[in-house]
Amino acid sequence: MAVRFPLVMLSVVVALWLGGCGGGVTEGSSEVAPAGQVDVFATRIAPILESSCGCHTGGAAEGGIALGGYSAALGHVVKGDAAASALLVSMTLANGVNSRYSVGDAEVIRAWIVDGAPRYGAAENLAPPGESGYAGISSCANHCHGAIREEWLYGPHGNLEEMDADHQDKDLGLDSLGFPAYGYNGLGEAGSSCSAACHDPLGDGKQLSEGITGNVPRPVVGCESCHGAGGDHLAIDYPKPGPERCGLCHNSAFSHNKYHPEGDNIIEDYEASPHARSVNSHVLVEEGSTGVKGRCSRCHTDEGARDWVRQLGELAASGSADSPGETLIEQATPVQCRTCHDKHDPSRLLFGADEGDEDGDGVLQSAEFRTCTHCHQASGAYHGENSTRSWSGGTVGVGTFDNSGRVIYDTHFDDPATMEIEGYVLDVEGARTCRDCHNQHAADNTISNQWARSGHGGRITLAKEAASLSVDSAEVFTAGVDDNWAPAWSHYPWGAEYRSACARCHTATGLVAYLNNPATYEPEVDIAYENGAMRHLQFVTNDGSDAVVYDSKTRKDNLAGIEKEMLYCWACHTDRSGAVRDPGAITPPYTSTAFPDVGSSNLCLACHIGRESGATVANSTDDFSNKGFVNSHYLSAGGTVFRTTGYEYAGRDYDNVGHYKHAGIGTTQVDDTGEIVELYAGTGTSGPCVTCHLGSAEGETANHLFLPFTFDEDGAITEIVNPLCATCHRASETRDTTLTPEFLNEEREHYEDALQALEAQLAAAGYTFQPGHPYFTAKNWLSDSDGDGVTRIDSDGDGAADSADPEDAWTGPLNMGAAFNFNLLHHDPGGFAHNRYYVKRLIYDAIDWLDNNILDDSTAATLDALDAATGYKAGAATYLASIGR
């Protein structure tokens, strides 16, 4: 299409053309380009003129203008002065009116004029060594795309920030060596696999322009690495690079775990993700079409998402309160890399941070949160209504609970006005608020959905699914979990400062604070509510005050509601690649002796070892005639596995049987050659907790239900999920059959029967178990050891009740020890599997003591003497039959 110059401009152009500028090489000259140089006009300028100014090139003239060659073009140029050059002025006026010029084309012409309108230029500045058709980084950055250059320069591909020895950024500007900080040696050379593959694939680092793109060479990913050879600018291979270009480097073949553990596998994750299939039959205008409905395009297409942001910017600039229009997208492409990442500076996202509280809700939001929730809606849009922070009670368009991950308004926001948990607590200002739990490239919620059904996730999905069956769709928002579903997270306001001692295990933030440095962890400091780690939690008081007030005497506070955390992904994982925190060997609160270092299972032991042990009772010098019960705390499986928590009666053998191996699963040893190897081959190095509870069938993701078994609606074990169980517990000389669900169900029933038998013996001795804290209300734990009808606590006259007394006082720890063992195992429902013979020994000895206050192996006789109608008699007798000395 011809350029139509305005009349006034036409006279200027004609005058310049007739007068000429001189200094140019005449058309038809036999001049040959000097060695090592290329014709800049022919490779950069002529293609633009020929494509966009067809009526004025090739000798044809319209309105007295001809741009057919170098000298003719110079007739409309004032070298070094773009503003005075009619060629550029005409392009600028015509652009966007009736022209084929783009803003980029005008920028190319402007840069060429400013550079003196060269015909020839140095070849080394236009093409990488040995590569034909490439213009080179200097040509792209210096002569054409100045604004883009700045975006690229300060992005990761421009590599302007150097790393120090600790891999921290040092911004040295144009003097930066970039990353890696060890300099340029070998980068860009064929023998350097890192640079040849990705970090400087075209050798652009050696062509950087002093004062513009770099004063010293550094590895860079230049324009042509993504766009293809630019020697023939108008025929460039990839004007809009798609994910396949990004995938040349961001793929599974290049391991970056040392520095960027989340950088691997990106293209493979994306190609398998819903993002790559976002243009589907549901959003097309009609079957077989490539056009996407305007209503759907903002989230289902690359073009629609970016157009939405463009419109938002234009509306904001104009001061309009209108919303962007719905744009029908023809030839739509799916959501891809350039949708969420700025194409020239990938560190910049589709949306910037909400630095000025743009939506007026009083909450500032990070770029990541805004970008992800643009489609994965935290607010209304097309798939439901909700506030951007906490549930607001909206009911329009909510519909049935959606656990697909496409929206998050029904699960991701806890209501601070209630004590229940309706959703998660998100730090919407956090730079990683989404990546902390999600692989944004894979968009695979398999693990997330498992977690949300697990105890660590409060089983919140089950509550949401139940609510979705209601005719009132608003119940999906209000549905939450309480003590019936998730007491570990819901029972108390664990984030409140007066509960700081509990936050270590009952909040994700508290656990992180502990795991980061167990040796120096101080809950009152690390979990300070008003100005410490828990200050992000919102709360509502029933007296309208701005502070939480707690009365330690009445154990009451003034809270009407508060946000409560569950055990989120980021509590155990340092990033979404699966890397875990490393606290080292865990020292329990009841002893100074650390557990063995069991790798990733240290994370589990941090909370699952109890807060007191039987040794606490045995070593107490308190007056047991007036002593409150010592509570072991709950789900102390780690203590069971490693035999540290039970009350052990003197003279009895609590050593593990020879074939017990659970404590060694997933651990290592040094073999005869000095090499570190797995203690039990095939069990890995993650320790027993992770190996057993997160194990799954080959090829499946880690089991984030944290259960090695599946259960039916009655709680019976139906399947052994972890294949390692059957690998170890297989038929052998000492075992008749391979481990089966039937055997486990029977073993568990007998375990529970034995505990009932122990509970009955405790009640007979005057110690009745209560279902809630403190579990035993008795204060006097003494027995009448000599049968004289009097309990003596100070027979030696030293004024203290202690184990040195020959009468009565010594019975207190043994009685409470029996109660302690019951409470411990009652709150470890998997004890029968964690350490089978240890728990049998604890139960057996407790009954043996209680039945006659003598350790005389009378347990079997006591059980045999029970009424035949007692429901637990047979199971308890069978379970404990193998114990006895």
Side-chain angles (χ1 to χ4, degrees):
M1 182 180 296
V3 178
R4 304 295 180 182
F5 294 155
L7 183 58
V8 175
M9 183 53 62
L10 178 61
S11 63
V12 175
V13 173
V14 171
L16 286 170
W17 174 60
L18 292 174
C21 294
V25 178
T26 59
E27 192 64 17
S29 167
S30 60
E31 181 182 350
V32 177
Q37 292 189 329
V38 297
D39 191 329
V40 177
F41 176 82
T43 60
R44 306 292 299 166
I45 308 304
I48 295 176
L49 300 180
E50 291 170 0
S51 173
S52 304
C53 315
C55 295
H56 304 287
T57 58
E62 181 174 321
I65 302 174
L67 304 174
Y70 178 72
S71 58
L74 289 184
H76 314 292
V77 168
V78 178
K79 291 184 178 181
D81 190 348
S85 297
L87 177 59
L88 185 65
V89 174
S90 301
M91 291 174 64
T92 305
L93 289 174
N95 183 52
V97 179
N98 189 19
S99 170
R100 292 181 63 184
Y101 282 116
S102 68
V103 174
D105 291 334
E107 177 64 14
V108 172
I109 298 295
R110 186 202 66 78
W112 176 65
I113 295 172
V114 171
D115 203 38
R119 175 163 188 171
Y120 295 109
E124 64 180 11
N125 290 329
L126 294 174
E131 296 287 345
S132 61
Y134 285 89
I137 185 68
S138 294
S139 180
C140 299
N142 297 2
H143 296 291
C144 314
H145 307 291
I148 291 174
R149 178 194 68 213
E150 292 303 307
E151 294 179 10
W152 166 84
L153 186 63
Y154 287 94
H157 292 161
N159 198 11
L160 200 60
E161 288 190 339
E162 189 171 327
M163 294 287 197
D164 62 19
D166 295 322
H167 304 292
Q168 301 299 310
D169 292 343
K170 300 192 297 186
D171 189 353
L172 301 180
L174 296 180
D175 292 321
S176 173
L177 294 175
F179 179 82
Y182 44 75
Y184 194 81
N185 184 29
L187 293 170
E189 304 296 338
S192 177
S193 60
C194 292
S195 60
C198 288
H199 284 278
D200 193 8
L202 298 178
D204 285 324
K206 291 183 177 179
Q207 302 179 54
L208 297 176
S209 301
E210 188 170 350
I212 298 177
T213 53
N215 300 329
V216 291
R218 70 177 187 279
V220 297
V221 179
C223 313
E224 291 166 302
S225 295
C226 300
H227 289 281
D232 185 358
H233 185 267
L234 297 177
I236 197 166
D237 293 329
Y238 307 101
K240 295 182 179 180
E244 71 284 349
R245 296 296 293 172
C246 304
L248 293 175
C249 288
H250 298 284
N251 60 56
S252 60
F254 300 98
S255 175
H256 292 76
N257 284 332
K258 185 175 182 181
Y259 304 115
H260 305 291
E262 296 174 317
D264 292 341
N265 229 48
I266 290 179
I267 188 62
E268 290 86 356
D269 285 344
Y270 166 76
E271 289 175 343
S273 77
H275 289 158
R277 301 185 296 278
S278 62
V279 177
N280 53 54
S281 59
H282 300 290
V283 301
L284 294 175
V285 175
E286 59 184 19
E287 187 175 353
S289 169
T290 59
V292 172
K293 305 169 189 175
R295 186 178 189 183
C296 307
S297 66
R298 68 169 275 195
C299 289
H300 285 268
T301 73
D302 166 59
E303 296 80 4
R306 291 187 287 117
D307 185 66
W308 185 274
V309 175
R310 177 191 62 79
Q311 292 187 64
L312 282 174
E314 292 178 351
L315 290 170
S318 67
S320 172
D322 294 339
S323 297
E326 297 176 351
T327 307
L328 172 67
I329 303 295
E330 294 286 0
Q331 303 295 321
T333 57
V335 172
Q336 53 193 280
C337 311
R338 65 172 181 248
T339 308
C340 300
H341 296 276
D342 183 278
K343 51 189 176 295
H344 295 115
D345 180 0
S347 65
R348 295 167 54 193
L349 300 180
L350 183 67
F351 284 89
D354 181 7
E355 296 177 351
D357 187 20
E358 294 176 5
D359 51 13
D361 66 351
V363 178
L364 303 184
Q365 300 171 350
S366 67
E368 178 168 293
F369 181 82
R370 294 186 71 207
T371 296
C372 294
T373 57
H374 170 67
C375 293
H376 299 284
Q377 300 143 26
S379 55
Y382 301 124
H383 293 288
E385 292 190 355
N386 187 45
S387 75
T388 56
R389 177 63 172 171
S390 301
W391 177 73
S392 64
T395 59
V396 179
V398 174
T400 305
F401 168 62
D402 178 5
N403 198 34
S404 67
R406 289 189 292 267
V407 293
I408 64 173
Y409 56 80
D410 49 9
T411 56
H412 279 57
F413 302 95
D414 187 27
D415 184 355
T418 72
M419 299 303 288
E420 291 74 37
I421 302 175
E422 296 86 3
Y424 318 136
V425 180
L426 299 186
D427 178 9
V428 299
E429 299 180 53
R432 294 183 54 89
T433 189
C434 302
R435 282 176 293 161
D436 275 338
C437 287
H438 296 282
N439 180 337
Q440 71 276 29
H441 299 117
D444 181 357
N445 283 329
T446 300
I447 287 178
S448 300
N449 291 339
Q450 288 180 349
W451 170 85
R453 292 176 177 274
S454 76
H456 287 169
R459 301 177 181 86
I460 192 169
T461 290
L462 303 180
K464 296 294 184 181
E465 288 176 343
S468 71
L469 302 177
S470 170
V471 294
D472 182 1
S473 58
E475 289 190 15
V476 173
F477 285 135
T478 58
V481 292
D482 53 21
D483 281 4
N484 293 323
W485 295 82
W489 319 115
S490 175
H491 188 65
Y492 288 117
W494 308 105
E497 192 165 359
Y498 71 84
R499 283 283 167 190
S500 59
C502 309
R504 160 180 161 180
C505 290
H506 292 277
T507 70
T509 299
L511 181 58
V512 170
Y514 172 76
L515 294 175
N516 282 346
N517 200 335
T520 61
Y521 173 69
E522 296 183 37
E524 292 79 6
V525 176
D526 296 336
I527 312 297
Y529 182 69
E530 300 296 340
N531 58 6
M534 306 302 293
R535 64 184 180 275
H536 62 285
L537 298 183
Q538 293 189 92
F539 63 88
V540 174
T541 61
N542 53 31
D543 57 10
S545 63
D546 295 329
V548 178
V549 179
Y550 176 69
D551 188 328
S552 60
K553 293 182 179 179
T554 63
R555 296 171 64 90
K556 300 291 185 180
D557 58 41
N558 63 333
L559 281 170
I562 186 174
E563 291 180 319
K564 299 175 181 178
E565 292 182 335
M566 294 179 277
L567 192 69
Y568 303 132
C569 309
W570 48 266
C572 296
H573 295 280
T574 56
D575 56 59
R576 58 96 178 144
S577 72
V580 296
R581 302 186 188 279
D582 183 14
I586 298 297
T587 300
Y590 42 79
T591 177
S592 59
T593 303
F595 278 79
D597 187 340
V598 286
S600 299
S601 291
N602 291 331
L603 299 171
C604 311
L605 295 182
C607 292
H608 291 286
I609 51 177
R611 295 190 62 184
E612 301 288 356
S613 72
T616 306
V617 177
N619 297 330
S620 174
T621 59
D622 293 343
D623 178 359
F624 275 85
S625 70
N626 186 27
K627 180 176 174 58
F629 178 64
V630 175
N631 178 25
S632 59
H633 222 59
Y634 320 109
L635 298 178
S636 55
T640 305
V641 170
F642 289 99
R643 288 189 306 108
T644 61
T645 43
Y647 181 89
E648 300 179 359
Y649 289 84
R652 293 300 172 90
D653 183 4
Y654 293 90
D655 288 341
N656 289 322
V657 295
H659 54 271
Y660 173 73
K661 293 182 169 51
H662 282 183
I665 291 173
T667 63
T668 61
Q669 65 176 350
V670 179
D671 67 9
D672 295 339
T673 67
E675 182 180 355
I676 298 177
V677 298
E678 297 173 7
L679 179 60
Y680 303 128
T683 64
T685 59
S686 296
C689 312
V690 170
T691 303
C692 291
H693 281 268
L694 275 82
S696 60
E698 185 177 356
E700 295 183 4
T701 58
N703 175 16
H704 279 72
L705 288 169
F706 306 102
L707 296 173
F709 319 126
T710 59
F711 301 85
D712 63 19
E713 58 185 12
D714 296 323
I717 297 171
T718 57
E719 181 184 0
I720 301 172
V721 177
N722 191 339
L724 185 64
C725 298
T727 299
C728 296
H729 295 278
R730 61 186 182 276
S732 64
E733 294 180 359
T734 58
R735 182 182 295 278
D736 295 332
T737 61
T738 298
L739 187 67
T740 64
E742 291 74 21
F743 171 81
L744 289 170
N745 282 322
E746 182 179 83
E747 188 81 352
R748 183 176 62 173
E749 289 175 12
H750 292 170
Y751 172 65
E752 293 170 351
D753 288 341
L755 284 174
Q756 286 190 60
L758 173 54
E759 182 181 7
Q761 290 299 310
L762 284 164
Y767 310 118
T768 302
F769 178 75
Q770 306 291 331
H773 190 273
Y775 305 112
F776 291 93
T777 58
K779 296 292 186 179
N780 184 1
W781 295 91
L782 302 184
S783 298
D784 181 8
S785 61
D786 58 5
D788 64 359
V790 179
T791 55
R792 298 182 178 85
I793 63 171
D794 188 22
S795 60
D796 59 3
D798 66 355
D802 53 52
S803 58
D805 284 321
E807 291 185 286
D808 300 340
W810 60 273
T811 65
L814 282 80
N815 287 325
M816 185 182 283
F820 183 92
N821 283 348
F822 173 79
N823 186 58
L824 172 77
L825 300 180
H826 175 75
H827 288 110
D828 182 8
F832 71 96
H834 293 137
N835 195 335
R836 182 184 180 195
Y837 288 96
Y838 181 61
V839 301
K840 289 181 179 182
R841 182 87 250 179
L842 294 177
I843 297 171
Y844 178 96
D845 290 344
I847 294 175
D848 189 13
W849 162 255
L850 289 169
D851 60 14
N852 60 4
N853 282 179
I854 302 173
L855 291 171
D856 58 357
D857 287 322
S858 56
T859 299
T862 297
L863 295 175
D864 187 58
L866 293 174
D867 191 305
T870 302
Y872 53 80
K873 174 181 178 178
T878 300
Y879 191 68
L880 300 177
S882 60
I883 305 299
R885 293 291 187 269

